[in-house]
Amino acid sequence: MSDLLSLLSLGSNAIQAQNSGLAIATNNGANVNTRGYSRQRVDLNALMGAPLVGGVVAGSPERLQDNLLAGRLRTAGGSLSMSTAFHEAVLDIETRVASAGPTVHEQLGELASRFTELTATPTDPFSRESTLLSARGLTQGIRRRAAELNAAQEEANARIRARAEQISELAARLGETNLAIQRSGD
């Protein structure tokens, strides 16, 4: 009777192993068009037993992927994120500097024309005053832009700190999840 039960157990293990393979094949077929999905494979492992009785069991599913390609995808994703962040920062600075009144180039042009007028009539008080006003306007414009750039830098630093805190929180949660998965497998 014990031989019959061991043969039934052997057959049951074989059917379970084949069902695992069938489940993996079905999952691969169902997700073939899912973005980011990579095929899985299950290996069948031989069981050592008595001289004539052994058997087979299914191993854990293994993800099939090209490690080089996966690494390149991760690198490209990181580069895209970095480029997007730089793009947003440059647009922010460009908007701030452009909205701060006349450009430095325009103010320098006006100051140069005032100097030209002043050299033609150096004793004219109106020419002197307009040159001084032009120089003051240029310095105020530069200070205003410097203040805008400082504000942009402070805001960028605040965003970086907030994202770093968010990443730290997510990493801690991921670590806790990994520990929970490891404990459940034991």
Side-chain angles (χ1 to χ4, degrees):
M1 188 72 145
S2 67
D3 290 335
L4 179 62
L5 288 178
S6 63
L7 286 176
L8 287 174
S9 176
L10 180 75
S12 172
N13 287 342
I15 289 172
Q16 287 176 353
Q18 289 302 321
N19 279 341
S20 295
L22 185 60
I24 295 295
T26 303
N27 191 33
N28 286 340
N31 290 303
V32 71
N33 290 326
T34 302
R35 183 181 174 149
Y37 180 79
S38 62
R39 289 186 317 121
Q40 293 180 342
R41 170 181 80 187
V42 65
D43 289 329
L44 302 179
N45 301 321
L47 289 175
M48 295 296 165
L52 295 176
V53 179
V56 67
V57 293
S60 59
E62 180 182 332
R63 191 172 169 210
L64 298 177
Q65 67 177 1
D66 183 354
N67 290 332
L68 178 64
L69 183 59
R72 286 185 178 172
L73 283 172
R74 281 190 301 274
T75 302
S79 295
L80 176 63
S81 295
M82 185 177 72
S83 295
T84 302
F86 278 133
H87 174 73
E88 290 172 1
V90 168
L91 278 179
D92 182 40
I93 290 171
E94 192 175 79
T95 303
R96 287 173 180 268
V97 169
S99 66
T103 66
V104 173
H105 182 268
E106 292 169 347
Q107 289 177 321
L108 280 173
E110 183 181 337
L111 182 60
S113 69
R114 298 291 177 222
F115 274 126
T116 304
E117 289 175 13
L118 185 61
T119 56
T121 57
T123 58
D124 183 22
F126 177 74
S127 294
R128 286 181 181 180
E129 187 62 32
S130 64
T131 304
L132 285 173
L133 285 175
S134 216
R136 285 185 189 124
L138 175 62
T139 56
Q140 288 173 354
I142 290 172
R143 285 182 182 146
R144 192 171 41 246
R145 282 174 181 78
E148 288 291 337
L149 290 176
N150 285 337
Q153 183 178 13
E154 289 174 9
E155 289 175 13
N157 288 340
R159 281 194 306 266
I160 290 169
R161 278 191 294 278
R163 287 183 182 170
E165 289 171 4
Q166 183 182 21
I167 289 169
S168 295
E169 179 184 325
L170 290 173
R173 287 177 33 200
L174 180 62
E176 291 169 2
T177 304
N178 284 339
L179 283 174
I181 290 171
Q182 185 180 17
R183 286 182 192 134
S184 70
D186 291 341

